[in-house]
Amino acid sequence: MAQASVVQDKMRKKVHRRPQRPQRHKAGIHRTWNKNKALWLLFLPCLLYYLIFRYAPMFGLVITFKDYNLFKGIWASDWVGLKYYRMFIENPDFWPLMKNTFLLGLYKLFFGFPAPILLAILLNEVRKAAFKRVVQTVSYLPHFISNVIVASMVIMFLSPTGGLINNLLGAIGIGPINFMNEPGLFRGIYVLSEIWQHIGWETIIYLAALTAIDPQLYEAADMDGASRMRKIWHVTLPGISPAIVITLILNIGKVLEIGFEKVFLMQNPAIYDTADIISTYVYRVGMVQGNFSYGASIDLFMGVISLIFIYTANYISRRVSETSLW
């Protein structure tokens, strides 16, 4: 009997202790807040930015399922379901637009993605610090030039009358060539301008990853008699492979997210066959023609495809390597 009473007393104590768990949990949250208050305050502007400018505007996506009227407002507009999605898919321009957008993004990924990796490795092999700093500064300065200026520079340099490139070609007896009126040359011109504009800025990621490689690995490679190329292949590339994989996954998700400004500024009716992409089409039907529901539907449709791309790339990366976004 005495043992039974002792067991009952213990059970009562456990029962009485259970309600105290939420209080203990609250105390833990309060203690965590007090301990990391400065970090939370530093994070607050970033949180507010995403809440106000990224998540709050998602409310407007409801117009993709409505026949949105600017004067009626969002809620008073009539529901139309998937009308605008079907309209876009059944549009004769659907496949040409998808082809142009996908090919432009694929070329940018295929040629633009390895460029900053190569530049970072070359800079890592430079022994003169002064020369290395000059190259870094010169290479990432174009990133801060606006797309309007970059597009104007491209058009001026490639002009058939007085353009720098045509002047050089004329010196060797070639030309003049009207580059900006040749549909087959647009993708190459766009990708080259993107590489020139952003290669230096994107190199910063890989240069930071290179600093995390243990110098003893290079010393061990030297002792084994490895050449410079062997060290790059067996030490440098494996050392920055996590950064390469993460950046590749993000870039795959952006294959269809071609920037509107530069393409719009560089295109003209003569090259619409290759230069007309989803974003420029959305501008025409959404902003110029005022069909906001149709334009928003196309954007949401492309966003879903980009999400599928990035999820697939992350899944494959997680299966074949130890690096992934989640």
Side-chain angles (χ1 to χ4, degrees):
M1 295 292 292
Q3 290 180 352
S5 62
V6 170
V7 172
Q8 290 178 356
D9 290 340
K10 289 182 178 180
M11 293 296 294
R12 291 194 193 97
K13 290 180 181 179
K14 289 182 179 179
V15 171
H16 289 303
R17 287 175 183 174
R18 284 176 185 173
Q20 297 177 359
R21 287 182 181 177
Q23 296 179 358
R24 200 179 308 146
H25 183 65
K26 291 180 180 178
I29 294 176
H30 184 69
R31 187 164 52 253
T32 303
W33 163 256
N34 289 334
K35 184 178 179 180
N36 303 301
K37 188 183 296 183
L39 296 177
W40 283 109
L41 290 175
L42 286 173
F43 176 69
L44 183 60
C46 179
L47 178 63
L48 291 176
Y49 168 79
Y50 277 94
L51 289 176
I52 295 172
F53 297 105
R54 298 293 181 177
Y55 287 95
M58 288 184 184
F59 163 77
L61 292 176
V62 71
I63 70 172
T64 65
F65 307 102
K66 285 174 166 280
D67 189 8
Y68 176 63
N69 187 300
L70 187 63
F71 300 100
K72 289 183 179 180
I74 294 178
W75 293 116
S77 299
D78 299 327
W79 288 95
V80 294
L82 300 176
K83 169 187 173 183
Y84 292 107
Y85 295 97
R86 291 195 299 266
M87 184 187 300
F88 178 56
I89 294 174
E90 295 171 359
N91 193 321
D93 293 328
F94 174 76
W95 288 113
L97 289 170
M98 289 292 292
K99 175 186 174 183
N100 292 341
T101 306
F102 181 75
L103 285 179
L104 199 59
L106 189 64
Y107 288 178
K108 183 180 174 183
L109 177 67
F110 187 78
F111 295 104
F113 175 72
I117 301 173
L118 180 61
L119 179 59
I121 293 174
L122 292 175
L123 288 174
N124 188 59
E125 295 298 316
V126 174
R127 295 294 175 258
K128 293 184 178 180
F131 178 75
K132 183 177 179 179
R133 286 194 296 269
V134 170
V135 173
Q136 282 183 266
T137 304
V138 172
S139 64
Y140 75 66
L141 277 178
H143 176 79
F144 300 99
I145 302 175
S146 70
N147 286 325
V148 177
I149 297 176
V150 172
S152 300
M153 291 171 62
V154 170
I155 293 172
M156 290 174 59
F157 290 157
L158 299 178
S159 172
T161 57
L164 176 63
I165 303 301
N166 272 302
N167 287 341
L168 294 175
L169 292 175
I172 57 175
I174 302 175
I177 302 173
N178 196 345
F179 291 96
M180 300 309 297
N181 281 350
E182 294 290 337
L185 298 177
F186 173 77
R187 295 189 184 113
I189 294 171
Y190 176 83
V191 171
L192 287 174
S193 69
E194 281 286 293
I195 294 174
W196 172 77
Q197 187 177 4
H198 301 297
I199 185 173
W201 183 258
E202 294 173 357
T203 299
I204 295 174
I205 299 173
Y206 303 109
L207 288 173
L210 284 168
T211 60
I213 299 176
D214 190 352
Q216 293 181 358
L217 296 175
Y218 290 105
E219 295 175 2
D222 286 331
M223 293 178 64
D224 291 338
S227 62
R228 180 167 291 188
M229 290 301 299
R230 285 287 184 180
K231 286 189 286 185
I232 291 174
W233 184 256
H234 293 288
V235 179
T236 305
L237 286 176
I240 63 174
S241 60
I244 293 174
V245 172
I246 295 298
T247 309
L248 178 61
I249 294 172
L250 294 174
N251 285 344
I252 289 175
K254 297 178 181 178
V255 165
L256 298 178
E257 296 180 10
I258 304 298
F260 162 77
E261 298 90 350
K262 187 184 291 185
V263 176
F264 179 75
L265 293 168
M266 291 174 60
Q267 70 176 197
N268 60 73
I271 57 174
Y272 272 171
D273 289 343
T274 57
D276 197 19
I277 60 174
I278 297 291
S279 58
T280 56
Y281 179 75
V282 169
Y283 168 76
R284 290 200 305 274
V285 299
M287 300 299 295
V288 178
Q289 299 178 13
N291 197 341
F292 301 108
S293 294
Y294 188 34
S297 300
I298 298 172
D299 265 348
L300 181 58
F301 177 79
M302 301 307 295
V304 172
I305 294 178
S306 296
L307 178 62
I308 294 172
F309 278 4
I310 195 171
Y311 183 84
T312 305
N314 186 77
Y315 175 78
I316 295 172
S317 176
R318 191 170 65 247
R319 293 297 297 268
V320 302
S321 68
E322 298 180 355
T323 306
S324 62
L325 287 175
W326 65 84

